[in-house]
Amino acid sequence: MDVPSLKETHPQKHYFKTLCNFIYYLGMGDLWYEKTEVSDRKKKLYSAWRIIMNGYILIVLLDELLAYARKDLTDREKNDLVQFTFAHPLIYCKVLPLYIWQDRIKDVMERLLEGSRSTFHSLELEKLSVKQYTRHCLTLTTVSYVTLVSASIEGIRLHFIEDIPIRTEVVYFPNPSHTGFIINIIRFFIEFHWYCIVAMMVTTDCLALCSLLTVGHKFRVLRLYFQNLRDRTLEKKGDKTKAQLEEEFIQGFVVGIKLHTDALWCARNVQKSMSPLYSVQVTESVALLVMCLVKMVVAERNFTYLVANFAFISCLIVLTGSYMMAAGDITHEVKVSAQDSCR
């Protein structure tokens, strides 16, 4: 007899576990709340991998910051440098809360996925919430990497027109005058750096967004519970006495209060653990949008350049809009739940 998979029995847990696996392989630590037995050898190998991955990100970020010391920067490179040295460190700042509040995030995730599920849950609503996760995460990933590809195409165009090395990031070393096989390998890793740091950003954003959407799901389940409680009470109206109905309703209402308390706890603690991500995203988006608009006014415009900038602006809008929509979803569900409970 086939045992049902986690994806079938607990789709939300399956999705969060997949996200945590991506975060783990990117070197941002183990955020999954269930403990697994790992050998000492694997622990040491993973510790080394975390040091390599994070060291790689930080070294290239430092190389970008040192680029201000270069005297041969073109006006275009100066504009890009200001934009990148503002954006890329902020992207990495999204990763820091995962290190600082790792235990808190694990506790919140466990409460989100396991807290009141044994009391009452709806598999149908869970599947609908997973569809929401997929839409948001797929949109974030697509728009982020379309932006990177557009920037890479613009770098390739400049390579053929201006006879300069392909460049998407402005760094101190190597500069355009450096040549050689080893230099080209270093250039590849510098260009690949942007893809790595965006992968970290996307998985972190997806974790935060899915947490927000799960809080909204909690309030939908709460509303469904009270609707079912009302329907059950009305169905038994002719079969039981008023005293029996009142007693059953009070018992069910107490369970509903516990579900409501659990939903409020999740909302409050998701806000505490994920608020740095929201703050960084809003700050970054507003500042970078201003920078992009200024660049479009002062820089030479061509089709490839405009496509790359449009993709970048779209990415910022989608990132910020996703957070706003997920937070608005919670507000909507809380409001509807309150209206239903007053009826």
Side-chain angles (χ1 to χ4, degrees):
M1 187 176 178
D2 293 335
V3 178
S5 64
L6 183 63
K7 187 176 182 180
E8 295 172 347
T9 58
H10 200 333
Q12 288 181 332
K13 185 175 180 179
H14 175 265
Y15 204 95
F16 269 88
K17 190 173 184 179
T18 303
L19 273 178
C20 288
N21 285 338
F22 275 114
I23 289 171
Y24 180 81
Y25 294 134
L26 286 169
M28 293 185 281
D30 185 7
L31 292 178
W32 191 237
Y33 58 86
E34 292 180 337
K35 292 185 178 180
T36 54
E37 293 296 327
V38 181
S39 64
D40 290 338
R41 180 173 174 272
K42 286 186 177 180
K43 287 181 180 178
K44 290 177 181 178
L45 285 173
Y46 185 70
S47 297
W49 169 244
R50 287 186 71 180
I51 292 171
I52 291 169
M53 193 64 183
N54 287 277
Y56 166 52
I57 298 296
L58 291 172
I59 287 171
V60 179
L61 287 178
L62 179 61
D63 198 13
E64 281 188 287
L65 293 172
L66 290 174
Y68 284 103
R70 280 176 52 186
K71 305 299 183 182
D72 60 341
L73 293 176
T74 64
D75 290 338
R76 187 190 190 91
E77 286 177 325
K78 289 177 182 178
N79 290 333
D80 287 345
L81 182 60
V82 172
Q83 181 176 322
F84 294 153
T85 53
F86 179 81
H88 293 174
L90 279 179
I91 288 176
Y92 194 73
C93 284
K94 288 185 176 183
V95 180
L96 294 180
L98 303 186
Y99 299 132
I100 298 171
W101 294 306
Q102 182 173 326
D103 293 334
R104 180 193 291 180
I105 291 172
K106 285 183 180 181
D107 292 339
V108 172
M109 202 182 307
E110 183 175 11
R111 186 74 175 264
L112 274 174
L113 300 174
E114 310 286 359
S116 59
R117 194 173 188 272
S118 59
T119 304
F120 181 80
H121 74 279
S122 168
L123 195 59
E124 183 179 352
L125 287 181
E126 285 189 14
K127 290 178 179 178
L128 287 174
S129 68
V130 168
K131 288 181 180 179
Q132 276 188 306
Y133 299 167
T134 304
R135 284 197 301 270
H136 279 73
C137 293
L138 188 60
T139 302
L140 282 182
T141 305
T142 302
V143 75
S144 297
Y145 280 97
V146 165
T147 302
L148 288 186
V149 171
S150 300
S152 298
I153 292 172
E154 172 68 4
I156 293 170
R157 187 188 72 85
L158 292 175
H159 164 69
F160 287 109
I161 291 176
E162 301 180 9
D163 193 27
I164 59 174
I166 295 173
R167 176 196 66 77
T168 54
E169 296 187 3
V170 183
V171 294
Y172 179 76
F173 179 86
N175 61 45
S177 63
H178 293 132
T179 58
F181 179 73
I182 300 299
I183 295 297
N184 288 334
I185 292 176
I186 294 173
R187 282 201 176 100
F188 167 79
F189 280 108
I190 288 172
E191 303 308 318
F192 187 65
H193 165 266
W194 200 356
Y195 286 81
C196 288
I197 199 171
V198 168
M200 288 182 167
M201 178 195 77
V202 168
T203 49
T204 305
D205 283 329
C206 286
L207 182 67
L209 285 171
C210 290
S211 299
L212 286 171
L213 292 170
T214 306
V215 173
H217 165 78
K218 287 271 186 184
F219 285 100
R220 279 194 293 275
V221 170
L222 177 66
R223 188 168 80 248
L224 178 63
Y225 174 82
F226 279 112
Q227 287 174 348
N228 289 348
L229 178 62
R230 178 179 180 274
D231 293 340
R232 286 199 309 269
T233 304
L234 292 175
E235 286 175 2
K236 297 176 182 178
K237 193 173 182 181
D239 300 330
K240 295 187 177 183
T241 64
K242 184 179 179 181
Q244 289 174 326
L245 288 173
E246 286 179 352
E247 184 178 353
E248 287 185 7
F249 184 83
I250 289 172
Q251 290 176 352
F253 189 78
V254 170
V255 173
I257 293 300
K258 291 179 180 178
L259 291 173
H260 193 197
T261 302
D262 179 68
L264 291 174
W265 186 95
C266 290
R268 184 168 58 252
N269 284 275
V270 165
Q271 173 66 20
K272 286 181 180 178
S273 57
M274 302 293 181
S275 58
L277 299 181
Y278 319 150
S279 302
V280 169
Q281 184 56 54
V282 173
T283 303
E284 182 180 29
S285 295
V286 172
L288 289 176
L289 280 172
V290 173
M291 289 182 190
C292 284
L293 293 174
V294 171
K295 281 177 64 178
M296 291 183 72
V297 171
V298 301
E300 179 186 353
R301 291 186 287 276
N302 56 68
F303 179 74
T304 310
Y305 176 76
L306 290 174
V307 168
N309 269 274
F310 178 75
F312 189 78
I313 292 170
S314 299
C315 180
L316 294 174
I317 293 172
V318 169
L319 280 168
T320 308
S322 297
Y323 278 107
M324 299 301 104
M325 289 173 66
D329 187 59
I330 297 174
T331 305
H332 170 73
E333 293 300 334
V334 172
K335 184 178 179 181
V336 173
S337 297
Q339 289 174 345
D340 287 348
S341 63
C342 292
R343 291 177 182 174

